[in-house]
C-alpha cells in the first residue's frame, strides 16, 4: 500500500500487509509452504541470527504468509506488531510468557472463555504462575487484587459465554495506575466492533479460530502489541528490559523500542516454545479477514433479531445479550461498543438442564458444537460441555449455569434461525 490518507477498515481488511507477490505477480498472497529460506551469504545468515537484520530463517519463527496476516491484524487493531500462534490458547501463553515468572500472578476477570479459566486456574501453576480472578465491574476489587507480584491484568472485551461487555477504558486506567499491562482477549468482538488498544489496552490476543477466520476451518491465535508500554520503567519485566543471555546480552526494549514485545515473541517465544501458526492456517485466516466487517454487521443484525424474539418467548427465562435495550449493560454497550455487541449470548430455558439437552438435540439449522464465530449458527450447553470442568460456583460466575445455553448467531436468514429455535423449544418444553 502507498502512504496517503488513512484508509478505512473495509479497505485495510483486504489490503493491509499484502502486496502482489514480488517473484510472480500473484495477486493473492501465496501460501509459502517452505520450512527454510536460503541465506544470501554467511554474513547475511549471521546478521539474521543476531537480530541485526529482519528476514526469514526458518518457519518456526517467521513465514511470509504468516507475516502478511500478522501485519494485517496489527493494522486492524491499531498495534505496532503481531505474533501469530497455533491457537488462541497458545496466544495467551505467548502473551504472558515475557511478563510472568515463578511466583508472579495475573489478575483476571471471572468472565472468561471456559478453557481460559482452566488454563489460568490449573495449567499455568506448572510454570509457577497463578491467576487471581475478580469481577472486573468492581474496580476496587481489581485494585485490591493487584499486589507486588502481579504482572498483568487480563479480560475479554465481549466476554464468553454471556456476551457481557467490559468497560476496557476503566480497567486500563486501573492497570495504568498500577504500572501494569492490560491484556484484552478481543476474540468475540473482533477489531471491527472493538479496538482495545484505542481504549488503553497494552496487548490484544485473539483466537483467530473464531470470527477472524470466520468459517470454522483452522485454529490459530495472535498477540498484538500496542507498542506503548514502558517495559523499562522498573525491574518488573526483565525479559524485555534486562540483558538477554541468548542474544549476547541484547536488551529487547532498549534495542527495539515499541517493537520489543513483538521481537521477543518471535525471537524467544516462537523459537523456544514453538507454538507456531502454519502457512495454510494463515491463508484460511487471511481469506476470512477480507470479509470481517460484512460478516460482523450481519452477525450483529441477526443476534439482535434472535435475542429479541427469545426475550419475548414464554419458554425462555432470560436472555443475556448486551445489545438488547433491556440489558443492564445497555448504557455501557452503547458507549463502548457502538457498532454492536457481537453474535454471542446465552439464554436460560425454563425447563432447566433436561430441557436444554432436548433443545440442543432438536435443533436442525443450529449445530451443537464447541465453537463460536462461525458463519453458521452454533449452540452449546456449556454446563455439560465447555464449562464441565468448572465447579458449580465457577459455572454460575461465568454465566454458564445448568439452565443456560450459549448461542453463536451465524449469518443465515434470521427468520430461519427463529423458526428453528421455535420448533426446538416446542420439543424441549412440551
Ligand atoms: C476459543 C477461544 C479461546 C481459545 O482459542 P483456541 O483457538 O480454541 O485455542 C480463547 N478465548 C476466547 C474468547 C475464545 O473464544
Amino acid at each position: 500500500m502507498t502512504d496517503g490518507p488513512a484508509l478505512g477498515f473495509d479497505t485495510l481488511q483486504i489490503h493491509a500487509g499484502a502486496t502482489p507477490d514480488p517473484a510472480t505477480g500473484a495477486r493473492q498472497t501465496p501460501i509459502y509452504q517452505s520450512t527454510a529460506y536460503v541465506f544470501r551469504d554467511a554474513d547475511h545468515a549471521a546478521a539474521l541470527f543476531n537480530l541485526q537484520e529482519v528476514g526469514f530463517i526458518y518457519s518456526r519463527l517467521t513465514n511470509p504468509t504468516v507475516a502478511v496476516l500478522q501485519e494485517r491484524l496489527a493494522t486492524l487493531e491499531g498495534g505496532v506488531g503481531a505474533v501469530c500462534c497455533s491457537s488462541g490458547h497458545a496466544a495467551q501463553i505467548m502473551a504472558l510468557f515475557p511478563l510472568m515468572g515463578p511466583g508472579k500472578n495475573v489478575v483476571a476477570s471471572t468472565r472468561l472463555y471456559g478453557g481460559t479459566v482452566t488454563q489460568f486456574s490449573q495449567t499455568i501453576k506448572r510454570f509457577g504462575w497463578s491467576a487471581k480472578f475478580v469481577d472486573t465491574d468492581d474496580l476496587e476489587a481489581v485494585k485490591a487484587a493487584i499486589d507486588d507480584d502481579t504482572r498483568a491484568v487480563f479480560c475479554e472485551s465481549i466476554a464468553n459465554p454471556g456476551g457481557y461487555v467490559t468497560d476496557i477504558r476503566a480497567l486500563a486506567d486501573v492497570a495504568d495506575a498500577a504500572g501494569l499491562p492490560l491484556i484484552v482477549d478481543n476474540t468475540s468482538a473482533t477489531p471491527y466492533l472493538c479496538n482495545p488498544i484505542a481504549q488503553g489496552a497494552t496487548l490484544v490476543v485473539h483466537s483467530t479460530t473464531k470470527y477472524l477466520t470466520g468459517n470454522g476451518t483452522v485454529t490459530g491465535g495472535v498477540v498484538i502489541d500496542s507498542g506503548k508500554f514502558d517495559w523499562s520503567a522498573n525491574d518488573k519485566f526483565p525479559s524485555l528490559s534486562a540483558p538477554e543471555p541468548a542474544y549476547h546480552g541484547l536488551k529487547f526494549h532498549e534495542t527495539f523500542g515499541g517493537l520489543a514485545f513483538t521481537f521477543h515473541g518471535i525471537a524467544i517465544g516462537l523459537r523456544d516454545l514453538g507454538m507456531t501458526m502454519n502457512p495454510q492456517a494463515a491463508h484460511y485466516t487471511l481469506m476470512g479477514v477480507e470479509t470481517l466487517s460484512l460478516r460482523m454487521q450481519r452477525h450483529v443484525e441477526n443476534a439482535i433479531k434472535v435475542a429479541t424474539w427469545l426475550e419475548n418467548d414464554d419458554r425462555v427465562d432470560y436472555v443475556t445479550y448486551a445489545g438488547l435495550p433491556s440489558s443492564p449493560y445497555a448504557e455501557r454497550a452503547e458507549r463502548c461498543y457502538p457498532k454492536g455487541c457481537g453474535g454471542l449470548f446465552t439464554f436460560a430455558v425454563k425447563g432447566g438442564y433436561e430441557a436444554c439437552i432436548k433443545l440442543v438435540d432438536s435443533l436442525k439449522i443450529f449445530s451443537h458444537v464447541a465453537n463460536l464465530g462461525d458463519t453458521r449458527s452454533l449452540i452449546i450447553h456449556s454446563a455439560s460441555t465447555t464449562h464441565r470442568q468448572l465447579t458449580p460456583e465457577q459455572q454460575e460466575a461465568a454465566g454458564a449455569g445448568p439452565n443456560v445455553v450459549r448461542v453463536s448467531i451465524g449469518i443465515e436468514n434470521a427468520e430461519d434461525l427463529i423458526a428453528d429455535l421455535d420448533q426446538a423449544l416446542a420439543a424441549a418444553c412440551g
Side-chain angles (χ1 to χ4, degrees):
M1 287 190 306
T2 51
D3 290 337
L7 298 168
F9 191 96
D10 296 346
T11 306
L12 292 171
Q13 72 186 356
I14 296 170
H15 292 287
T19 50
D21 181 48
T24 62
R27 190 62 195 87
Q28 191 48 277
T29 300
I31 304 170
Y32 285 93
Q33 200 67 67
S34 182
T35 306
Y37 307 88
V38 179
F39 305 123
R40 289 195 303 271
D41 52 35
D43 284 345
H44 177 223
L48 289 174
F49 276 91
N50 279 340
L51 300 181
Q52 287 156 343
E53 193 176 321
V54 178
F56 299 104
I57 299 176
Y58 184 70
S59 280
R60 176 163 21 86
L61 290 88
T62 47
N63 171 280
T65 313
V66 178
V68 171
L69 179 61
Q70 285 171 165
E71 190 170 336
R72 187 162 307 168
L73 295 177
T75 303
L76 293 178
E77 287 285 9
V80 296
V83 181
C84 282
C85 317
S86 50
S87 70
H89 271 2
Q92 290 168 193
I93 294 297
M94 287 279 291
L96 291 174
F97 178 65
L99 313 179
M100 302 283 275
K104 307 306 176 202
N105 68 71
V106 52
V107 169
S109 170
T110 46
R111 298 183 189 85
L112 296 174
Y113 177 73
T116 305
V117 176
T118 309
Q119 186 186 55
F120 282 11
S121 62
Q122 308 295 332
T123 305
I124 65 171
K125 282 193 212 155
R126 308 283 185 95
F127 308 141
W129 311 348
S130 63
K132 296 189 190 181
F133 294 96
V134 289
D135 178 350
T136 46
D137 274 349
D138 185 349
L139 297 175
E140 292 308 315
V142 178
K143 283 180 205 165
I146 292 171
D147 63 27
D148 286 347
D149 289 323
T150 303
R151 290 294 177 271
V153 178
F154 187 100
C155 71
E156 293 179 7
S157 48
I158 296 179
N160 249 291
Y164 158 91
V165 288
T166 302
D167 186 341
I168 295 171
R169 172 66 65 190
L171 203 52
D173 287 345
V174 174
D176 267 356
L180 295 173
L182 172 66
I183 307 173
V184 177
D185 181 339
N186 201 29
T187 299
S188 304
T190 81
Y192 180 69
L193 297 178
C194 175
N195 278 121
I197 288 172
Q199 297 180 49
T202 302
L203 302 169
V204 175
V205 295
H206 278 277
S207 167
T208 61
T209 315
K210 314 292 172 49
Y211 291 106
L212 293 179
T213 304
N215 41 32
T217 46
V218 287
T219 64
V222 67
V223 187
I224 297 152
D225 180 23
S226 64
K228 290 178 183 159
F229 196 86
D230 182 3
W231 305 111
S232 307
N234 49 46
D235 58 1
K236 281 191 174 173
F237 304 101
S239 296
L240 295 160
S241 63
E244 168 57 49
Y247 285 104
H248 317 300
L250 173 148
K251 296 178 183 171
F252 275 89
H253 191 211
E254 188 182 282
T255 307
F256 300 111
L259 280 167
F261 196 93
T262 302
F263 269 87
H264 189 276
I266 293 168
I268 306 283
L270 290 184
R271 186 196 66 182
D272 296 345
L273 300 177
M275 300 166 163
T276 308
M277 177 180 279
N278 68 73
Q280 281 281 345
H283 168 74
Y284 283 114
T285 305
L286 280 166
M287 295 301 93
V289 170
E290 290 190 352
T291 59
L292 179 65
S293 62
L294 306 178
R295 286 183 288 106
M296 293 315 292
Q297 286 161 17
R298 178 65 81 86
H299 281 296
V300 167
E301 225 174 86
N302 278 0
I304 292 172
K305 287 184 189 163
V306 174
T308 303
W309 181 83
L310 284 166
E311 188 177 42
N312 291 309
D313 192 279
D314 284 347
R315 297 159 294 188
V316 173
D317 248 337
Y318 60 84
V319 180
T320 61
Y321 185 51
L324 287 173
S326 60
S327 165
Y329 293 106
E331 180 277 324
R332 181 184 293 177
E334 213 163 286
R335 182 164 44 88
C336 305
Y337 301 82
K339 286 196 236 167
C341 297
L344 191 71
F345 61 86
T346 59
F347 62 95
V349 182
K350 280 196 179 138
Y353 190 95
E354 287 307 317
C356 288
I357 300 279
K358 264 195 214 145
L359 173 78
V360 296
D361 282 346
S362 305
L363 285 160
K364 296 191 167 78
I365 296 175
F366 281 81
S367 306
H368 184 203
V369 298
N371 193 17
L372 60 95
D374 198 327
T375 47
R376 64 214 92 232
S377 291
L378 312 174
I379 190 164
I380 195 153
H381 183 227
S382 304
S384 62
T385 54
T386 51
H387 288 58
R388 200 185 177 92
Q389 314 304 333
L390 308 189
T391 64
E393 294 73 32
Q394 285 175 319
Q395 287 179 354
E396 289 292 345
N403 56 336
V404 171
V405 288
R406 183 193 75 191
V407 285
S408 170
I409 301 297
I411 60 174
E412 302 99 330
N413 289 99
E415 308 76 58
D416 295 338
L417 301 178
I418 289 170
D420 194 28
L421 286 164
D422 193 25
Q423 65 80 21
L425 278 167
C429 301

